[in-house]
Amino acid sequence: MPRPSNPDVRRRLLEAGLEHVHTRGFAASGIKDITDAAGVPKGSFYAYFPSKDAFSAAILEHYWSDIEARLLPILAAKGAAQERITRFFHALADEHESRDFLLGCLIGNLSLELGSSSEPARTEILSILDRWGEALTTCVRSGQDGAGIRDDLDAAELADLLIEAWEGAALRGKVTRSRAPYDRLETVTIPALLR
């Protein structure tokens, strides 16, 4: 009779996998490296994830769920919509800075690495982009109708543009190991897109 799954083991695998994949990339992160870091036998991996591809999607979900819980509430807080949007992206940039800008955004990283080769990862990235876009759309929409944000473009389109601008800033910040692209996003790009 198979042993019941252990949520703690699954969590440890996800955390170890997230660290390895975010630091080294997906292809360079072996299952044995991940299970060793999680402190579980290699064979245990397949009790929780049917494949490494399925694991990539689970890592992405784990990564985004954390951001969603901690940072997306900024977008729903009180205050002017543009200020909330700027605070949200500033908080994301602070997290990148805490790791010296070496890691970049896992969503962008895995979009580039797996977007055309792993259907589970691509599907999860699309889901994350939809959820992120919905939160930004709601915030943008709250600032339209004379409340400071342009209304000549649909709120969802503006939200997509903000996400695309963020991913570009995160990519450049990773390469330059600098906050400058993030600062330009906050001081130039966000105001230019929203006003």
Side-chain angles (χ1 to χ4, degrees):
M1 173 180 237
R3 290 177 27 188
S5 64
N6 181 336
D8 183 59
V9 171
R10 186 177 194 281
R11 179 193 54 76
R12 288 187 352 235
L13 286 166
L14 286 170
E15 288 175 1
L18 174 59
E19 181 64 25
H20 272 264
V21 170
H22 208 171
T23 304
R24 300 176 184 169
F26 187 73
S29 297
I31 291 172
K32 182 157 177 28
D33 297 327
I34 293 164
T35 55
D36 286 352
V40 300
K42 183 177 178 184
S44 295
F45 179 88
Y46 294 103
Y48 296 90
F49 308 99
S51 66
K52 192 176 175 195
D53 267 355
F55 186 60
S56 70
I59 290 170
L60 283 158
E61 168 59 28
H62 184 70
Y63 174 79
W64 184 251
S65 290
D66 177 60
I67 291 172
E68 212 166 35
R70 290 181 306 102
L71 301 180
L72 279 190
I74 294 169
L75 295 174
K78 297 203 182 285
Q82 185 171 326
E83 291 172 8
R84 288 181 278 146
I85 290 166
T86 301
R87 279 197 320 268
F88 168 75
F89 284 111
H90 187 89
L92 282 176
D94 286 346
E95 293 196 357
H96 288 217
E97 187 171 30
S98 74
R99 300 289 297 262
D100 296 321
F101 304 107
L102 296 172
L103 304 182
C105 173
L106 185 69
I107 299 160
N109 294 351
L110 292 186
S111 291
L112 293 171
E113 187 176 359
L114 300 176
S116 62
S117 62
S118 170
E119 192 58 27
R122 190 183 80 76
T123 300
E124 186 60 37
I125 291 165
L126 287 171
S127 172
I128 289 167
L129 291 172
D130 286 345
R131 288 158 51 193
W132 189 2
E134 288 170 16
L136 276 168
T137 298
T138 299
C139 187
V140 167
R141 192 171 287 125
S142 74
Q144 291 180 321
D145 298 324
I149 292 183
R150 67 192 291 174
D151 60 6
D152 62 321
L153 290 176
D154 180 70
E157 186 172 1
L158 286 170
D160 287 345
L161 289 167
L162 287 166
I163 293 169
E164 292 158 7
W166 162 259
E167 289 300 336
L171 176 67
R172 188 156 188 170
K174 180 179 176 179
V175 171
T176 63
R177 297 186 181 159
S178 163
R179 182 138 189 160
Y182 302 96
D183 290 343
R184 280 191 297 274
L185 175 79
E186 288 182 37
T187 61
V188 178
T189 307
I190 292 172
L193 286 173
L194 297 182
R195 289 187 188 144

